[in-house]
Amino acid sequence: MKMVMAIVQAEDVSTITNALVDAGHRVTRIATTGGLLRRENVTLLLGVEDERVGEVITTLQKSGRHRKSTLSIPTEQPSGEVAQTLHVEVGGATVFVLDVERFERY
Ligand code: 2BA
C-alpha cells in the first residue's frame, strides 16, 4: 500500500475529490496554505493499493489546472519601498507517494 499526498488548488478540489470518490477511493482533505503565495490550497491524503496508484496520478493530472499567479514583494530601494511583482505558475498538483509500513482500520 502507498500513501498518496497531493497538494491541489482550492478551485480544483471538488472536481478531483468527486472523480476519486466516484472511482471508489477513500480520500481525506486537509485545508493547507502555500508557503510562498500564502494562498489556501488543499492537501489530499489517500491510502491506495499499489496497483491503483497510477490511476490516482492520472486523475490528478487530468483534473488539476495550471494557473498563473502574481505575488507582490515589498523591497527597499534608496528612493523608498517599492513593490516587486513576481509571476509564478502554480501546478495542477504536487504529489508525493510514500510507502505505508502498516495500515489498520477499526
Ligand atoms: P506555494 O508555496 O504558495 O507556491 C506557489 C508556486 O510558487 C509554486 O507552484 C511554484 O510555481 C512557485 N514556488 C514556490 N516555491 C518556490 C521555490 N522555492 N522556487 C521556485 N518557485 C517556487 P507549485 O510548485 O505548483 O506548488 C503549489 C503548492 O504546492 C505550493 O504553494 C505548496 O503549498 C505546495 N508545494 C509545492 N512543492 C512543495 C514541496 N516540495 N514541499 C511541500 N509543499 C510543496
Side-chain angles (χ1 to χ4, degrees):
M1 176 177 255
K2 305 286 187 204
M3 168 63 66
V4 178
M5 292 176 58
I7 303 161
V8 302
Q9 295 177 61
E11 295 91 325
D12 298 326
V13 74
S14 289
T15 310
I16 293 173
T17 307
N18 290 344
L20 291 168
V21 171
D22 288 350
H25 294 288
R26 295 180 178 191
V27 186
T28 296
R29 294 161 47 150
I30 304 174
T32 44
T33 306
L36 186 73
L37 297 176
R38 311 289 161 96
R39 207 162 281 167
E40 283 180 21
N41 53 27
V42 177
T43 300
L44 301 176
L45 300 183
L46 298 96
V48 185
E49 294 306 327
D50 289 20
E51 59 274 16
R52 298 198 70 191
V53 170
E55 184 191 307
V56 169
I57 305 278
T58 302
T59 302
L60 293 165
Q61 281 173 340
K62 278 191 195 160
S63 308
R65 300 271 169 271
H66 283 243
R67 292 184 182 87
K68 292 190 191 322
S69 194
T70 55
L71 175 68
S72 190
I73 307 167
T75 51
E76 281 294 334
Q77 297 290 327
S79 54
E81 195 174 83
V82 292
Q84 190 189 349
T85 303
L86 184 69
H87 298 275
V88 292
E89 180 162 340
V90 185
T94 299
V95 183
F96 302 88
V97 180
L98 294 82
D99 285 325
V100 174
E101 194 176 22
R102 182 166 163 177
F103 168 70
E104 293 183 29
R105 190 157 54 90
Y106 302 103

